[in-house]
Amino acid sequence: MKIYQFVITTKTVLKSGLKCSLNAFFNILQNPVYCGKIRVPSLNGKTIVEIQGIHKPLISIELFDEVQSRIKRRNKKYIKQSANSELMFRGILSCPLCSKKISGSGSKGRSKKYFYYHCSSSCGYRVRANQVNENLLSGIRLLKPNVEYTPIFEDLIRKIYGKLYEQKSIDKTNINRSLHKMIERVANARELLVKGTIDEEDYLSIKSDCENRIDILGTQLNDVYKLDVQQKQSLKKLTLCFLKPARLFQDTNNSIILRVASLFLNENLVYNDTNIANYLKDEVKIVYGFQCLNSEENFEEAITCNFSKQQQELITTIIKIELGKGNKISTPSAIKVLSFLLKLAKTCISIKMEVS
Protein backbone atom coordinates (compact mmCIF):
# COMPACT_ATOMS: atom_id res chain seq x y z
CA MET A 1 0.00 0.00 0.00
CA LYS A 2 1.31 3.45 -0.89
CA ILE A 3 2.58 5.70 1.89
CA TYR A 4 0.18 8.50 1.06
CA GLN A 5 -2.71 6.19 1.88
CA PHE A 6 -1.56 6.25 5.50
CA VAL A 7 -1.20 10.02 5.70
CA ILE A 8 -4.11 11.75 7.41
CA THR A 9 -4.46 15.14 9.01
CA THR A 10 -4.32 15.79 12.72
CA LYS A 11 -7.87 17.16 12.69
CA THR A 12 -9.17 14.01 11.02
CA VAL A 13 -7.56 11.83 13.70
CA LEU A 14 -8.97 13.94 16.51
CA LYS A 15 -12.44 13.94 14.96
CA SER A 16 -12.31 10.15 14.65
CA GLY A 17 -12.16 9.85 18.42
CA LEU A 18 -8.50 10.09 19.44
CA LYS A 19 -8.34 12.12 22.65
CA CYS A 20 -4.94 13.77 23.11
CA SER A 21 -3.23 17.13 22.74
CA LEU A 22 -1.38 18.17 19.59
CA ASN A 23 1.95 17.72 21.39
CA ALA A 24 0.96 14.21 22.44
CA PHE A 25 -0.10 13.43 18.88
CA PHE A 26 3.27 14.50 17.47
CA ASN A 27 5.02 12.48 20.19
CA ILE A 28 3.08 9.45 18.97
CA LEU A 29 4.20 10.10 15.39
CA GLN A 30 7.84 10.19 16.50
CA ASN A 31 7.74 7.13 18.79
CA PRO A 32 9.70 4.26 17.14
CA VAL A 33 7.89 1.64 19.23
CA TYR A 34 5.12 1.56 16.60
CA CYS A 35 7.56 0.33 13.93
CA GLY A 36 8.99 -2.35 16.19
CA LYS A 37 11.88 -0.48 17.81
CA ILE A 38 12.54 0.67 21.35
CA ARG A 39 14.88 3.31 22.74
CA VAL A 40 17.38 2.19 25.36
CA PRO A 41 20.55 3.65 26.93
CA SER A 42 23.80 2.77 25.15
CA LEU A 43 26.49 0.67 26.80
CA ASN A 44 28.22 3.78 28.15
CA GLY A 45 24.91 5.08 29.49
CA LYS A 46 25.49 8.52 27.97
CA THR A 47 23.36 8.24 24.85
CA ILE A 48 20.09 6.68 23.71
CA VAL A 49 20.02 4.15 20.88
CA GLU A 50 17.21 2.37 19.06
CA ILE A 51 17.14 -1.41 18.95
CA GLN A 52 14.74 -3.92 17.43
CA GLY A 53 12.06 -4.99 19.90
CA ILE A 54 10.42 -8.38 20.20
CA HIS A 55 6.88 -7.00 19.82
CA LYS A 56 4.95 -6.98 16.55
CA PRO A 57 5.20 -3.60 14.79
CA LEU A 58 2.02 -1.77 13.81
CA ILE A 59 3.62 0.03 10.85
CA SER A 60 6.61 -0.56 8.59
CA ILE A 61 10.01 1.02 9.21
CA GLU A 62 9.73 2.67 5.78
CA LEU A 63 6.51 4.43 6.75
CA PHE A 64 7.99 5.56 10.07
CA ASP A 65 11.11 6.97 8.35
CA GLU A 66 8.96 8.77 5.78
CA VAL A 67 6.89 10.38 8.55
CA GLN A 68 10.07 11.52 10.36
CA SER A 69 11.37 12.97 7.12
CA ARG A 70 8.16 14.92 6.58
CA ILE A 71 8.12 16.18 10.17
CA LYS A 72 11.73 17.34 9.78
CA ARG A 73 10.90 19.20 6.57
CA ARG A 74 7.83 20.71 8.23
CA ASN A 75 9.84 21.92 11.24
CA LYS A 76 12.48 23.44 8.98
CA LYS A 77 9.84 25.18 6.86
CA TYR A 78 7.85 26.51 9.79
CA ILE A 79 10.62 27.69 12.10
CA LYS A 80 8.99 29.86 14.74
CA GLN A 81 9.47 33.54 14.14
CA SER A 82 9.35 36.18 16.84
CA ALA A 83 5.86 37.64 17.36
CA ASN A 84 6.80 40.74 15.44
CA SER A 85 10.05 41.34 13.59
CA GLU A 86 9.87 45.03 14.41
CA LEU A 87 9.53 44.36 18.16
CA MET A 88 12.04 41.54 18.62
CA PHE A 89 13.32 42.91 21.95
CA ARG A 90 9.88 43.28 23.48
CA GLY A 91 9.89 41.57 26.88
CA ILE A 92 13.67 41.98 27.22
CA LEU A 93 13.89 45.76 27.56
CA SER A 94 13.17 47.59 30.81
CA CYS A 95 11.97 51.16 31.11
CA PRO A 96 14.75 53.68 31.95
CA LEU A 97 12.24 55.81 33.88
CA CYS A 98 10.39 53.31 36.08
CA SER A 99 12.30 50.02 35.49
CA LYS A 100 9.16 48.13 34.43
CA LYS A 101 9.19 45.76 31.46
CA ILE A 102 8.65 47.54 28.17
CA SER A 103 5.92 46.45 25.76
CA GLY A 104 5.52 47.51 22.16
CA SER A 105 2.99 48.17 19.42
CA GLY A 106 2.53 49.59 15.95
CA SER A 107 1.15 53.00 15.05
CA LYS A 108 -0.24 53.66 11.59
CA GLY A 109 1.23 56.69 9.90
CA ARG A 110 0.32 58.39 6.62
CA SER A 111 2.30 56.03 4.41
CA LYS A 112 3.29 53.09 6.63
CA LYS A 113 3.11 51.60 10.08
CA TYR A 114 5.62 52.71 12.72
CA PHE A 115 6.57 50.57 15.69
CA TYR A 116 7.45 51.73 19.18
CA TYR A 117 8.70 50.21 22.41
CA HIS A 118 6.71 51.83 25.18
CA CYS A 119 6.06 51.53 28.89
CA SER A 120 2.53 50.70 30.02
CA SER A 121 2.90 52.68 33.27
CA SER A 122 2.13 56.35 33.78
CA CYS A 123 5.73 57.41 33.06
CA GLY A 124 4.86 57.45 29.34
CA TYR A 125 8.29 56.31 28.07
CA ARG A 126 8.30 55.65 24.33
CA VAL A 127 11.04 55.05 21.74
CA ARG A 128 11.11 54.11 18.05
CA ALA A 129 11.64 50.34 17.77
CA ASN A 130 13.71 50.43 14.58
CA GLN A 131 16.25 52.76 16.20
CA VAL A 132 16.68 50.48 19.23
CA ASN A 133 16.89 47.34 17.08
CA GLU A 134 19.43 48.81 14.72
CA ASN A 135 21.63 50.28 17.47
CA LEU A 136 21.76 47.03 19.43
CA LEU A 137 22.23 44.70 16.46
CA SER A 138 24.73 46.91 14.63
CA GLY A 139 26.69 47.25 17.87
CA ILE A 140 26.97 43.45 18.17
CA ARG A 141 27.82 43.07 14.47
CA LEU A 142 30.79 45.41 14.82
CA LEU A 143 32.34 43.70 17.86
CA LYS A 144 35.94 42.50 17.48
CA PRO A 145 37.25 39.92 19.97
CA ASN A 146 40.69 39.67 21.46
CA VAL A 147 42.39 37.20 19.12
CA GLU A 148 43.93 35.40 22.12
CA TYR A 149 40.50 33.79 22.66
CA THR A 150 40.37 32.33 19.14
CA PRO A 151 42.24 29.08 20.04
CA ILE A 152 39.87 28.50 22.98
CA PHE A 153 36.84 29.00 20.75
CA GLU A 154 38.24 26.62 18.12
CA ASP A 155 38.99 24.04 20.80
CA LEU A 156 35.38 24.21 22.01
CA ILE A 157 34.11 23.80 18.44
CA ARG A 158 36.25 20.66 18.03
CA LYS A 159 34.94 19.20 21.32
CA ILE A 160 31.30 19.83 20.36
CA TYR A 161 31.81 18.25 16.96
CA GLY A 162 33.63 15.38 18.68
CA LYS A 163 30.55 14.61 20.78
CA LEU A 164 28.32 14.83 17.73
CA TYR A 165 30.66 12.53 15.83
CA GLU A 166 30.66 10.07 18.74
CA GLN A 167 26.87 9.83 18.49
CA LYS A 168 27.06 9.55 14.72
CA SER A 169 29.59 6.73 15.09
CA ILE A 170 27.01 4.83 17.16
CA ASP A 171 24.44 5.59 14.49
CA LYS A 172 26.85 4.38 11.80
CA THR A 173 27.24 1.02 13.56
CA ASN A 174 23.47 0.61 13.88
CA ILE A 175 22.90 1.66 10.26
CA ASN A 176 25.50 -0.78 8.96
CA ARG A 177 23.92 -3.55 11.04
CA SER A 178 20.49 -2.72 9.59
CA LEU A 179 21.92 -2.66 6.06
CA HIS A 180 23.36 -6.15 6.47
CA LYS A 181 20.01 -7.39 7.80
CA MET A 182 18.18 -6.00 4.75
CA ILE A 183 20.69 -7.61 2.38
CA GLU A 184 20.39 -10.93 4.24
CA ARG A 185 16.59 -10.67 4.10
CA VAL A 186 16.67 -10.31 0.31
CA ALA A 187 19.10 -13.24 0.01
CA ASN A 188 16.89 -15.43 2.24
CA ALA A 189 13.81 -14.48 0.24
CA ARG A 190 15.60 -15.46 -2.97
CA GLU A 191 16.39 -18.89 -1.48
CA LEU A 192 12.76 -19.35 -0.42
CA LEU A 193 11.68 -18.43 -3.96
CA VAL A 194 14.02 -21.02 -5.46
CA LYS A 195 12.74 -23.66 -3.02
CA GLY A 196 9.15 -22.77 -3.85
CA THR A 197 8.30 -21.75 -0.29
CA ILE A 198 7.12 -18.34 -1.47
CA ASP A 199 5.84 -17.21 -4.86
CA GLU A 200 7.37 -14.52 -7.08
CA GLU A 201 4.89 -11.87 -5.96
CA ASP A 202 5.89 -12.31 -2.30
CA TYR A 203 9.57 -12.28 -3.25
CA LEU A 204 9.22 -9.04 -5.27
CA SER A 205 7.29 -7.46 -2.38
CA ILE A 206 10.06 -8.36 0.09
CA LYS A 207 12.74 -7.22 -2.35
CA SER A 208 11.03 -3.87 -2.96
CA ASP A 209 10.50 -3.34 0.77
CA CYS A 210 14.18 -4.02 1.49
CA GLU A 211 15.42 -1.84 -1.38
CA ASN A 212 13.39 1.12 -0.14
CA ARG A 213 14.76 0.61 3.36
CA ILE A 214 18.33 0.29 1.99
CA ASP A 215 17.94 3.60 0.12
CA ILE A 216 16.87 5.35 3.34
CA LEU A 217 19.69 3.76 5.34
CA GLY A 218 22.16 4.71 2.63
CA THR A 219 21.13 8.36 2.90
CA GLN A 220 21.48 8.24 6.69
CA LEU A 221 24.91 6.62 6.40
CA ASN A 222 26.02 9.26 3.92
CA ASP A 223 25.00 11.98 6.41
CA VAL A 224 27.18 10.30 9.04
CA TYR A 225 30.23 10.26 6.77
CA LYS A 226 29.65 13.87 5.74
CA LEU A 227 29.83 15.04 9.37
CA ASP A 228 33.58 14.41 9.62
CA VAL A 229 34.21 16.32 6.38
CA GLN A 230 31.86 19.06 7.53
CA GLN A 231 33.75 19.41 10.80
CA LYS A 232 37.02 20.16 9.00
CA GLN A 233 35.40 22.57 6.55
CA SER A 234 33.32 24.33 9.21
CA LEU A 235 36.09 25.18 11.67
CA LYS A 236 37.37 28.11 9.63
CA LYS A 237 33.85 29.40 8.86
CA LEU A 238 32.71 29.16 12.48
CA THR A 239 35.89 30.88 13.66
CA LEU A 240 35.07 33.74 11.29
CA CYS A 241 31.67 34.01 13.01
CA PHE A 242 33.53 34.49 16.29
CA LEU A 243 35.92 37.05 14.80
CA LYS A 244 33.14 38.83 12.88
CA PRO A 245 29.77 38.49 14.68
CA ALA A 246 28.01 40.13 11.71
CA ARG A 247 28.21 36.72 10.00
CA LEU A 248 25.86 35.29 12.63
CA PHE A 249 23.08 37.54 11.34
CA GLN A 250 23.39 36.62 7.66
CA ASP A 251 20.47 34.72 6.09
CA THR A 252 18.82 33.98 9.45
CA ASN A 253 15.36 34.53 10.85
CA ASN A 254 14.28 36.70 13.76
CA SER A 255 14.25 33.88 16.31
CA ILE A 256 17.92 33.13 15.54
CA ILE A 257 18.83 36.84 15.61
CA LEU A 258 17.22 37.21 19.04
CA ARG A 259 18.93 34.02 20.28
CA VAL A 260 22.34 35.37 19.22
CA ALA A 261 21.67 38.84 20.63
CA SER A 262 20.64 37.33 23.98
CA LEU A 263 24.09 35.74 24.29
CA PHE A 264 25.68 39.18 24.18
CA LEU A 265 23.18 41.45 25.91
CA ASN A 266 22.34 41.86 29.59
CA GLU A 267 19.03 40.60 30.90
CA ASN A 268 16.54 43.31 31.87
CA LEU A 269 18.31 45.65 29.50
CA VAL A 270 17.63 49.34 30.09
CA TYR A 271 18.04 51.20 26.80
CA ASN A 272 18.93 54.87 27.15
CA ASP A 273 21.79 55.60 24.71
CA THR A 274 23.57 54.21 21.66
CA ASN A 275 26.76 52.92 23.32
CA ILE A 276 26.68 49.12 22.91
CA ALA A 277 29.23 48.68 25.71
CA ASN A 278 26.55 49.70 28.23
CA TYR A 279 24.40 46.71 27.30
CA LEU A 280 26.93 43.88 27.02
CA LYS A 281 27.33 41.16 29.66
CA ASP A 282 30.53 41.45 31.70
CA GLU A 283 31.99 38.26 30.22
CA VAL A 284 31.31 39.55 26.71
CA LYS A 285 33.08 42.80 27.55
CA ILE A 286 36.12 40.80 28.63
CA VAL A 287 36.24 38.74 25.42
CA TYR A 288 35.65 41.74 23.18
CA GLY A 289 38.03 44.06 25.00
CA PHE A 290 35.60 46.56 26.56
CA GLN A 291 36.39 45.88 30.19
CA CYS A 292 39.60 46.16 32.17
CA LEU A 293 38.91 44.68 35.57
CA ASN A 294 40.88 45.94 38.55
CA SER A 295 41.41 45.30 42.23
CA GLU A 296 37.86 46.39 43.06
CA GLU A 297 36.52 43.09 41.73
CA ASN A 298 35.59 40.39 44.24
CA PHE A 299 38.39 37.81 43.96
CA GLU A 300 36.80 35.10 46.05
CA GLU A 301 37.84 31.91 44.30
CA ALA A 302 35.18 29.64 42.84
CA ILE A 303 35.23 25.91 43.46
CA THR A 304 36.44 24.27 40.24
CA CYS A 305 36.47 20.66 41.40
CA ASN A 306 33.21 20.10 39.53
CA PHE A 307 34.93 21.00 36.27
CA SER A 308 36.83 18.55 34.11
CA LYS A 309 40.60 18.80 33.84
CA GLN A 310 40.27 20.31 30.35
CA GLN A 311 37.81 22.92 31.59
CA GLN A 312 40.09 23.86 34.49
CA GLU A 313 42.94 24.29 32.02
CA LEU A 314 40.80 26.59 29.86
CA ILE A 315 39.79 28.64 32.91
CA THR A 316 43.46 29.03 33.83
CA THR A 317 44.28 30.02 30.25
CA ILE A 318 41.61 32.74 30.31
CA ILE A 319 43.03 34.19 33.53
CA LYS A 320 46.53 34.18 31.99
CA ILE A 321 45.27 35.91 28.82
CA GLU A 322 43.86 38.77 30.87
CA LEU A 323 46.95 38.97 33.08
CA GLY A 324 49.01 39.30 29.90
CA LYS A 325 46.96 42.39 29.06
CA GLY A 326 47.34 43.80 32.55
CA ASN A 327 43.84 42.79 33.69
CA LYS A 328 43.44 40.70 36.81
CA ILE A 329 40.22 38.71 36.78
CA SER A 330 38.83 36.25 39.28
CA THR A 331 38.09 32.58 38.69
CA PRO A 332 34.29 33.20 38.68
CA SER A 333 34.76 35.78 35.91
CA ALA A 334 36.92 33.35 33.92
CA ILE A 335 34.23 30.69 34.34
CA LYS A 336 31.64 33.12 32.94
CA VAL A 337 33.90 33.85 29.97
CA LEU A 338 34.29 30.12 29.29
CA SER A 339 30.52 29.63 29.59
CA PHE A 340 29.89 32.42 27.07
CA LEU A 341 32.41 31.01 24.59
CA LEU A 342 30.84 27.55 24.93
CA LYS A 343 27.30 28.88 24.37
CA LEU A 344 28.52 30.91 21.40
CA ALA A 345 30.23 27.85 19.89
CA LYS A 346 27.07 25.73 20.32
CA THR A 347 24.94 28.50 18.83
CA CYS A 348 27.24 28.87 15.81
CA ILE A 349 27.05 25.13 15.10
CA SER A 350 23.29 25.10 15.66
CA ILE A 351 22.75 27.99 13.25
CA LYS A 352 24.91 26.31 10.62
CA MET A 353 22.83 23.14 10.90
CA GLU A 354 19.50 25.02 10.82
CA VAL A 355 20.25 27.15 7.76
CA SER A 356 22.13 24.47 5.77
Side-chain angles (χ1 to χ4, degrees), residues 281-293:
K281 295 176 180 176
D282 288 341
E283 55 268 31
V284 177
K285 291 180 182 179
I286 294 173
V287 173
Y288 289 89
F290 281 94
Q291 185 167 324
C292 292
L293 300 174

Side-chain angles (χ1 to χ4, degrees), residues 156-178:
L156 293 172
I157 291 289
R158 292 190 191 96
K159 285 180 171 61
I160 295 169
Y161 265 118
K163 289 181 180 179
L164 290 174
Y165 191 72
E166 182 182 347
Q167 177 58 47
K168 289 295 182 182
S169 296
I170 296 172
D171 294 343
K172 181 169 66 176
T173 301
N174 293 331
I175 292 169
N176 278 320
R177 188 181 294 119
S178 297

Side-chain angles (χ1 to χ4, degrees), residues 134-147:
E134 179 57 28
N135 287 335
L136 292 176
L137 295 179
S138 63
I140 296 173
R141 290 189 187 103
L142 296 175
L143 293 177
K144 293 182 179 180
N146 293 314
V147 293

Side-chain angles (χ1 to χ4, degrees), residues 155-310:
D155 186 56
L156 293 172
I157 291 289
R158 292 190 191 96
K159 285 180 171 61
I160 295 169
Y161 265 118
K163 289 181 180 179
L164 290 174
Y165 191 72
E166 182 182 347
Q167 177 58 47
K168 289 295 182 182
S169 296
I170 296 172
D171 294 343
K172 181 169 66 176
T173 301
N174 293 331
I175 292 169
N176 278 320
R177 188 181 294 119
S178 297
L179 279 170
H180 287 302
K181 284 183 179 179
M182 292 298 104
I183 294 170
E184 287 177 4
R185 187 182 174 196
V186 174
N188 292 335
R190 190 181 297 112
E191 289 182 11
L192 293 174
L193 176 65
V194 172
K195 292 178 181 179
T197 307
I198 61 174
D199 57 27
E200 185 175 1
E201 185 179 352
D202 288 335
Y203 166 71
L204 291 176
S205 177
I206 294 172
K207 183 172 179 289
S208 176
D209 183 59
C210 290
E211 286 176 345
N212 290 334
R213 177 63 179 157
I214 287 171
D215 286 342
I216 294 171
L217 290 169
T219 302
Q220 293 174 351
L221 191 62
N222 185 53
D223 291 340
V224 173
Y225 283 116
K226 284 196 303 186
L227 182 66
D228 189 38
V229 177
Q230 184 187 61
Q231 176 184 355
K232 296 174 183 177
Q233 294 176 341
S234 297
L235 183 60
K236 183 177 290 186
K237 292 180 180 179
L238 294 175
T239 301
L240 284 175
C241 289
F242 171 65
L243 296 172
K244 299 179 179 179
R247 290 176 173 267
L248 290 169
F249 299 102
Q250 294 178 353
D251 302 321
T252 56
N253 58 62
N254 290 326
S255 63
I256 292 178
I257 291 175
L258 185 57
R259 193 199 318 168
V260 173
S262 297
L263 289 177
F264 290 82
L265 301 175
N266 282 316
E267 297 179 3
N268 301 320
L269 188 151
V270 178
Y271 182 85
N272 49 24
D273 63 50
T274 59
N275 185 359
I276 188 64
N278 293 332
Y279 311 121
L280 298 176
K281 295 176 180 176
D282 288 341
E283 55 268 31
V284 177
K285 291 180 182 179
I286 294 173
V287 173
Y288 289 89
F290 281 94
Q291 185 167 324
C292 292
L293 300 174
N294 52 42
S295 57
E296 294 181 0
E297 185 185 3
N298 181 7
F299 284 96
E300 181 181 349
E301 293 299 304
I303 298 174
T304 59
C305 58
N306 293 329
F307 293 87
S308 67
K309 183 178 179 181
Q310 291 178 329

Side-chain angles (χ1 to χ4, degrees), residues 32-68:
V33 73
Y34 297 106
C35 70
K37 293 187 175 184
I38 57 175
R39 290 178 176 143
V40 297
S42 62
L43 293 177
N44 60 18
K46 296 180 179 179
T47 55
I48 301 296
V49 296
E50 292 181 2
I51 64 171
Q52 192 66 41
I54 60 174
H55 62 284
K56 184 178 179 180
L58 297 177
I59 60 173
S60 67
I61 295 176
E62 291 75 24
L63 176 56
F64 181 78
D65 287 339
E66 175 65 18
V67 171
Q68 305 320 300

